[in-house]
Amino acid sequence: MFRASTLERILLVLSDFIALTICFVVAFWVQFHSGLIADKFDPTRSFGDYWQVGLVLNIGWIVLFVCAGLYRSWLLMSRTHQILRVLRAVVIGVVLVIICLFGAEFIGKFVENQPISKGYIYGSRFPWIFIYGGCAMMLVASFRMLIYLFLRGLLRLGYGANNMLVLGATEAGKKIAEALAKTPARGQRVVGFVDERFQVIPHDFAGVPVLGKYSDLPSLVKKYKVSGIIIAHDSASPQEIMRVLVWVCELPLHIYIVPELYGVVNGQFKANLVYGFELQELFAFTMPPWQVQVKRIIDIVFGAFLGLCSLPVCLFAAIAIKLDDHGPIFYSQERIGLYGKPFTVYKFRTMRTDAEKFGAQWATKKDPRITRIGHFLRKTRIDELPQILCVLKGDMSMVGPRPERAVFISQLREQIPFYISRLKMKPGLTGWAQVRHHYDTSIEDVQIKLQYDMYYYENMSLLLDFQILVRTVYVVLTGKGAQ
């Protein structure tokens, strides 16, 4: 069965395209056929001569709306908030249209050495532009409201809701399940309870099945295609909350908690209030959607640029490694990426070829396994350069937590609460933890770096990424700071 959020995105794109097309047709009629703009009145003009312009404008609007986050799921969000976001996006779009029209003409006048203070062809088109923008604002917002009326009608009929699990067959859990059942238009459907007392309590609670205990969560999430969990058990112990999160932090889920329990983790993790319902979301992803898109573009552009510029350095590194001990230049390992997805990472070899003959182990200070050239490559971070290939493929980002090996993750998730939450971020070539702390040599180092990683997750932004990249350059050029 389809999910309402999937149908929502499809309908939003279609409705926006139709609304913007109508706006272009109206603006065309006003300019050339209505007579409202006297110097532009020309009934011989045919719309067929301008449809390509309308198509290009529509595509530009859709790209702008993607960057503005207008195609994320708004089912549980305020309609007023969405209209304001549409208003902001349209205003930005109108400004960009004006800049493009007048900017192109200004540059043309400057290149041809013409007077740049008068004689602009587009001066009479201000009415057309503002009519176009105002029409876009009204129609896009109106069409979207009609879509949500339609989607809420489907949800009331039981179609397309997101599946939820409630952790805790308790009175609080019962109230949540009953409230969601009474308001299906919210798009959340409780498919079952999960309780640590599974073996000693009835397997039916409040008319909903009790499906298992905490350790069953990964399999239950996959089986029932769960998109979110609600923590509602009786215990207000931080340790109890952590026990739950250990099993779900790496899963692509929304994690909610009832307000009474929120005080347990308040001050440790950011949370968002779920619109229209008394739940707090933990580990909420706060980076604006347009910045996510820009971040990926930066990864590709900056990664390709850095890769080309570093080719001479990579060549010298390869020669030095060969001259040092005649072994292979590169080594590859399987690392764990976003939401536990494995991928292969490549680096310049900095250790002896028999470095892990006794199994996986952390590097230590003055590690005897590190080669002579390896010390220099690690200090300057040159050994990381081959990972640019992973950035271009999309397995990594320029900035993010260090990608870890599965064998270490399985150990650390049992020893360090919330360690697995790092998998909610795409790993990076460099990161806040990497530039603030040295290579991991102990559990204590891992705990410190986890704090840095969580700080990055909660404050992720393009500005912070820029700050990290600048600091990385400083570390590479000076050899000072984190190593």
Side-chain angles (χ1 to χ4, degrees), residues 156 184 324 386 400:
R156 289 189 184 96
D324 190 29

Side-chain angles (χ1 to χ4, degrees), residues 295 299 335-341 343 345 387 390-391 394-404 422-431 434 453 456:
K295 181 178 172 71
D299 285 344
R335 298 292 176 95
I336 304 300
L338 182 66
Y339 293 129
K341 178 185 176 183
F343 69 98
V345 69
Q387 293 181 80
C390 300
V391 173
D395 293 325
M396 294 177 61
S397 177
M398 288 300 300
V399 179
R402 179 177 180 270
E404 195 53 87
R422 296 170 76 253
L423 299 184
K424 285 186 173 290
M425 297 175 277
K426 187 180 289 188
L429 186 65
T430 185
Q434 292 94 304
D453 286 334
Y456 175 73

Side-chain angles (χ1 to χ4, degrees), residues 144-164:
R144 282 172 169 254
M145 295 306 102
L146 290 174
I147 285 175
Y148 285 106
L149 286 175
F150 171 70
L151 290 176
R152 286 178 178 273
L154 289 180
L155 290 170
R156 289 189 184 96
L157 296 174
Y159 296 104
N162 292 316
N163 293 336
M164 307 288 290

Side-chain angles (χ1 to χ4, degrees), residues 136-210:
M137 194 179 302
M138 289 187 294
L139 284 185
V140 169
S142 299
F143 280 26
R144 282 172 169 254
M145 295 306 102
L146 290 174
I147 285 175
Y148 285 106
L149 286 175
F150 171 70
L151 290 176
R152 286 178 178 273
L154 289 180
L155 290 170
R156 289 189 184 96
L157 296 174
Y159 296 104
N162 292 316
N163 293 336
M164 307 288 290
L165 288 174
V166 177
L167 274 61
T170 64
E171 190 61 31
K174 179 181 178 181
K175 290 180 180 179
I176 290 170
E178 290 176 345
L180 290 177
K182 291 178 181 177
T183 54
R186 298 183 189 276
Q188 309 282 35
R189 175 177 53 227
V190 175
V191 296
F193 286 92
V194 177
D195 198 291
E196 203 66 348
R197 304 165 298 165
F198 174 71
Q199 294 178 339
V200 297
I201 64 174
H203 289 181
D204 184 88
F205 182 76
V208 179
V210 181

Side-chain angles (χ1 to χ4, degrees), residues 39-113:
D39 62 331
K40 291 297 178 180
F41 180 71
D42 186 356
T44 63
R45 297 286 183 98
S46 170
F47 181 76
D49 298 329
Y50 288 85
W51 70 267
Q52 298 95 331
V53 177
L55 179 62
V56 171
L57 277 173
N58 282 6
I59 293 174
W61 281 111
I62 299 297
V63 172
L64 175 62
F65 288 174
V66 169
C67 294
L70 291 180
Y71 296 121
R72 67 179 182 178
S73 179
W74 289 86
L75 278 171
L76 299 180
M77 303 297 288
S78 165
R79 302 286 84 82
T80 303
H81 181 56
Q82 184 182 180
I83 291 174
L84 291 175
R85 292 290 289 270
V86 170
L87 171 62
R88 185 178 69 175
V90 171
V91 169
I92 292 173
V94 169
V95 171
L96 290 176
V97 169
I98 293 174
I99 290 174
C100 289
L101 290 176
F102 285 89
E105 195 170 358
F106 177 86
I107 293 173
K109 286 179 175 292
F110 182 80
V111 171
E112 296 176 5
N113 200 27

Side-chain angles (χ1 to χ4, degrees), residues 186-481:
R186 298 183 189 276
Q188 309 282 35
R189 175 177 53 227
V190 175
V191 296
F193 286 92
V194 177
D195 198 291
E196 203 66 348
R197 304 165 298 165
F198 174 71
Q199 294 178 339
V200 297
I201 64 174
H203 289 181
D204 184 88
F205 182 76
V208 179
V210 181
L211 301 173
K213 52 185 185 295
Y214 299 159
S215 58
D216 299 320
L217 278 170
S219 60
L220 292 175
V221 166
K222 183 177 180 180
K223 180 179 179 180
Y224 292 95
K225 298 180 180 179
V226 173
S227 62
I229 65 169
I230 302 172
I231 302 175
H233 52 62
D234 288 326
S235 174
S237 163
Q239 290 76 20
E240 188 71 11
I241 301 290
M242 290 178 182
R243 285 184 60 203
V244 173
L245 295 179
V246 159
W247 292 104
V248 298
C249 274
E250 80 273 27
L251 299 176
L253 294 171
H254 293 283
I255 303 173
Y256 304 106
I257 188 168
V258 297
E260 290 80 3
L261 295 178
Y262 177 59
V264 175
V265 292
N266 192 18
Q268 301 181 46
F269 302 99
K270 283 186 177 179
N272 288 342
L273 181 66
V274 179
Y275 172 75
F277 201 69
E278 293 300 321
L279 293 175
Q280 299 283 346
E281 183 178 4
L282 301 182
F283 301 110
F285 188 73
T286 57
M287 191 175 194
W290 71 269
Q291 291 196 23
V292 175
Q293 305 295 330
V294 174
K295 181 178 172 71
R296 179 56 187 154
I297 294 173
I298 292 175
D299 285 344
I300 296 172
V301 174
F302 193 76
F305 177 76
L306 180 61
L308 290 174
C309 292
S310 64
L311 283 177
V313 177
C314 292
L315 178 61
F316 284 118
I319 294 173
I321 292 170
K322 270 297 182 184
L323 293 176
D324 190 29
D325 66 357
H326 306 289
I329 296 172
F330 303 99
Y331 88 96
S332 61
Q333 278 184 342
E334 184 180 85
R335 298 292 176 95
I336 304 300
L338 182 66
Y339 293 129
K341 178 185 176 183
F343 69 98
T344 301
V345 69
Y346 303 92
K347 287 188 178 184
F348 284 118
R349 183 175 59 85
T350 58
M351 289 189 173
R352 301 193 311 264
T353 54
D354 63 347
E356 293 193 334
K357 61 182 178 180
F358 299 115
Q361 53 185 298
W362 278 310
T364 60
K365 293 181 179 180
K366 299 181 180 180
D367 196 314
R369 299 174 300 160
I370 300 177
T371 62
R372 289 175 297 176
I373 189 62
H375 284 287
F376 174 77
L377 296 179
R378 283 180 166 234
K379 185 176 183 179
T380 58
R381 301 294 176 91
I382 293 175
D383 64 316
E384 310 278 1
L385 288 176
Q387 293 181 80
I388 293 174
L389 294 174
C390 300
V391 173
L392 296 177
K393 287 173 59 181
D395 293 325
M396 294 177 61
S397 177
M398 288 300 300
V399 179
R402 179 177 180 270
E404 195 53 87
R405 298 164 68 176
V407 61
F408 290 144
I409 288 178
S410 61
Q411 297 173 9
L412 296 170
R413 70 180 298 166
E414 301 297 333
Q415 301 176 48
I416 303 177
F418 303 116
Y419 178 80
I420 207 71
S421 61
R422 296 170 76 253
L423 299 184
K424 285 186 173 290
M425 297 175 277
K426 187 180 289 188
L429 186 65
T430 185
W432 189 240
Q434 292 94 304
V435 299
R436 299 292 296 180
H437 200 66
H438 53 69
Y439 282 103
D440 303 340
T441 60
S442 66
I443 288 290
E444 289 72 23
D445 286 331
V446 176
Q447 290 174 324
I448 294 172
K449 294 185 78 170
L450 176 62
Q451 295 177 21
Y452 287 124
D453 286 334
M454 292 310 300
Y455 172 86
Y456 175 73
Y457 181 79
E458 295 179 357
N459 298 276
M460 194 182 299
S461 68
L462 295 178
L463 182 61
L464 181 56
D465 279 9
F466 178 74
Q467 180 182 351
I468 292 169
L469 289 172
V470 170
R471 187 174 179 88
T472 301
V473 173
Y474 172 77
V475 170
V476 170
L477 294 179
T478 65
K480 298 178 181 180

